[in-house]
Amino acid sequence: MADTHNKHVDEVSGVETTGHEWDGLRELNNPLPRWWLYIFYACIVWSIGYWVLMPSWPLISSYTTGMLGASQREQALDALETGVAARNEMGAGLSTASLEEIQSTPGLLEFAMANGRAAFGDNCAPCHGSGATGSPGYPNLQDDSWLWGGSLDAIHYTIQNGIRSTGEDTRMGDMPAFGRDEILSKEEITQVASYVHTLSGGAPEEGVDVEAGKTVFMDNCAVCHGEDGKGNQDLGAPNLTDKTWLYGGTIADIKAQVTNPRNGVMPTWGGRLDENTIKSLAVYVHALGGGE
């Protein structure tokens, strides 16, 4: 309990106490250092000046703008406009250059690679990964397995128009749902899945008639994937012999895809990104190591 009437001088420090005592502990009456007080008072004066000169006090639907009328929003917008203008000036050559010319011109290539890397991180990495190595359902852009082609023009077209997306010229290539729509029986799906598994060196499911699976494949799948199973980039039909699998390469995975296929969607970036950025992305992705 505090005793405010029992002031005395502390025997150890020689400082008078405030008279407050709690369970035998007394509070020393040490004043704040003058330098600290001067700084504190200066901060008060400075804050008053700041309130008058700069935006500071919120109002119901706005805020006090201050005598200087400073605005961080306007400063940020000015900086953005300056950056965009500088980028447009540096990349002006991209507008008129072909993809091949960009790739063969050191200055344009350097700018396109930097611009493409930044655009990839902002727009493509959430699906393809920051290293462009993909994940289940999202293609690896560093290998040599391309659904729609890996040339500069093919990559540019895919980015521009997307896959199964909203663009008028988007790439389309849906795989039929052979199981869901009862085009094939469960036994036929098991047979064809085992056959497809052997195309890339895998073993068939035990006891499954692989020759029957080959017949099912020729009758239903070869029209898109080819009789040799090496796919067709015009249709987006994957190569089934290269051990590269978008949705998994086990027999169970293949059965699931044949039964109820997952036809992935890539956005149409034309109209969302400017042409120079799309060109830069095409050059960047092509240079990752998997371009044809």
Side-chain angles (χ1 to χ4, degrees):
M1 182 176 179
D3 180 4
T4 58
H5 303 289
N6 188 23
K7 294 184 179 182
H8 76 287
V9 176
D10 179 64
E11 295 83 358
V12 177
S13 63
V15 177
E16 186 182 71
T17 66
T18 62
H20 297 154
E21 178 180 351
W22 291 268
D23 298 330
L25 298 177
R26 293 186 173 90
E27 179 184 12
L28 298 181
N29 188 17
N30 277 320
L32 291 170
R34 289 186 178 276
W35 63 266
W36 191 95
L37 287 172
Y38 293 152
I39 292 175
F40 178 69
Y41 297 146
C43 288
I44 294 175
V45 173
W46 179 88
S47 66
I48 294 173
Y50 187 92
W51 294 339
V52 173
L53 297 174
M54 302 292 289
S56 54
W57 291 99
L59 304 175
I60 294 176
S61 60
S62 182
Y63 57 90
T64 58
T65 58
M67 295 180 63
L68 297 181
S71 171
Q72 290 183 329
R73 180 184 295 273
E74 291 182 2
Q75 293 171 1
L77 290 175
D78 289 344
L80 176 62
E81 291 179 3
T82 301
V84 169
R87 191 187 74 165
N88 290 340
E89 181 179 354
M90 293 176 62
L94 296 182
S95 301
T96 56
S98 67
L99 294 170
E100 290 74 17
E101 289 171 339
I102 294 172
Q103 193 177 52
S104 61
T105 306
L108 290 177
L109 178 60
E110 181 180 3
F111 179 81
M113 288 294 291
N115 194 32
R117 184 181 299 108
F120 187 92
D122 290 341
N123 301 280
C124 313
C127 291
H128 293 283
S130 58
T133 53
S135 60
Y138 303 100
N140 181 352
L141 303 178
Q142 295 204 29
D143 60 21
D144 292 320
S145 182
W146 294 88
L147 293 175
W148 299 95
S151 66
L152 277 170
D153 288 334
I155 294 172
H156 180 272
Y157 187 95
T158 299
I159 297 171
Q160 177 81 26
N161 299 287
I163 300 171
R164 305 180 191 92
S165 189
T166 56
E168 183 178 348
D169 297 318
T170 189
R171 294 189 183 278
M172 295 297 297
D174 289 345
M175 176 176 173
F178 288 101
R180 186 190 66 205
D181 295 340
E182 299 181 350
I183 301 171
L184 298 176
S185 66
K186 288 185 178 181
E187 181 181 12
E188 288 173 322
I189 291 174
T190 297
Q191 292 169 345
V192 75
S194 285
Y195 173 71
V196 168
H197 198 243
T198 65
L199 292 178
S200 58
E205 189 173 327
E206 186 176 353
V208 174
D209 188 345
V210 177
E211 284 302 314
K214 181 177 181 180
T215 300
V216 174
F217 182 89
M218 293 300 174
D219 291 343
N220 298 274
C221 313
V223 65
C224 291
H225 294 281
E227 294 184 358
D228 56 2
K230 292 189 176 180
N232 184 341
Q233 292 182 348
D234 291 333
L235 301 174
N239 184 346
L240 303 176
T241 69
D242 60 4
K243 298 183 180 181
T244 300
W245 300 93
L246 189 58
Y247 295 105
T250 67
I251 293 179
D253 292 330
I254 298 170
K255 284 183 183 179
Q257 185 66 6
V258 174
T259 300
N260 190 22
R262 289 155 288 182
N263 295 309
V265 175
M266 174 178 169
T268 297
W269 291 106
R272 301 173 66 178
L273 300 176
D274 61 76
E275 178 58 22
N276 284 354
T277 299
I278 292 176
K279 282 184 176 182
S280 298
L281 274 170
V283 171
Y284 174 74
V285 170
H286 186 269
L288 288 173
E292 296 174 354

